[in-house]
Amino acid sequence: MKDFYTLALQKGASVTALFAVPPTLVARFVIDNSDNPSGWAPLLSLLAILGFVVGSGVAAWHQKLGRPFMHALVAGAGVFVVVQGFFLLVRVATGGELRVSRIITAFSLSLVASVVGGLLGSFMQSSGVRPK
């Protein structure tokens, strides 16, 4: 049986990946590469941020060690680093431009979203709602 720490992180990271990665992929590879700017980019970015909030909230809610914020931040930051690492490899392999300021901004937003998710997960636990 997995310990509570890895189980909560696994659930949070999988939810984050499920809800945050698809809009990010569409934004990076479809909209970001087009010559015509689109109004879809802000909506897709918002969906990705909400994915980080939900996934981090799941990690914080499922943890049983009394550290919801640590679980939320590790789940959110972990998914961001893995996905961004993949994007960096693709950009380098295809000769694309590396935008460090965009990466730092996106990482900051994912951390803020993870804190919000941690707050929501902590609130769910403190209000007595238990995950199944």
Side-chain angles (χ1 to χ4, degrees), residues 5 9 13 56 59 68-80 111 114:
Y5 181 75
L9 287 177
S56 297
F69 290 105
M70 184 182 75
H71 282 75
L73 286 172
V74 169
V79 169
F80 181 86
L111 288 179
S114 296

Side-chain angles (χ1 to χ4, degrees), residues 21-102:
V21 172
T24 304
L25 286 173
V26 171
R28 292 273 185 195
F29 293 112
V30 176
I31 295 174
D32 202 23
N33 291 333
S34 68
D35 293 332
N36 300 327
S38 171
W40 285 100
L43 176 63
L44 292 170
S45 297
L46 181 62
L47 287 174
I49 290 171
L50 289 174
F52 278 101
V53 170
V54 171
S56 297
V58 167
W61 185 35
H62 279 84
Q63 63 84 32
K64 297 182 189 226
L65 300 174
R67 297 182 287 221
F69 290 105
M70 184 182 75
H71 282 75
L73 286 172
V74 169
V79 169
F80 181 86
V81 168
V82 168
V83 171
Q84 194 62 46
F86 171 75
F87 288 154
L88 283 173
L89 288 175
V90 170
R91 288 274 185 191
V92 169
T94 60
E97 178 184 353
L98 297 180
R99 301 174 186 153
V100 176
S101 62
R102 184 182 277 187

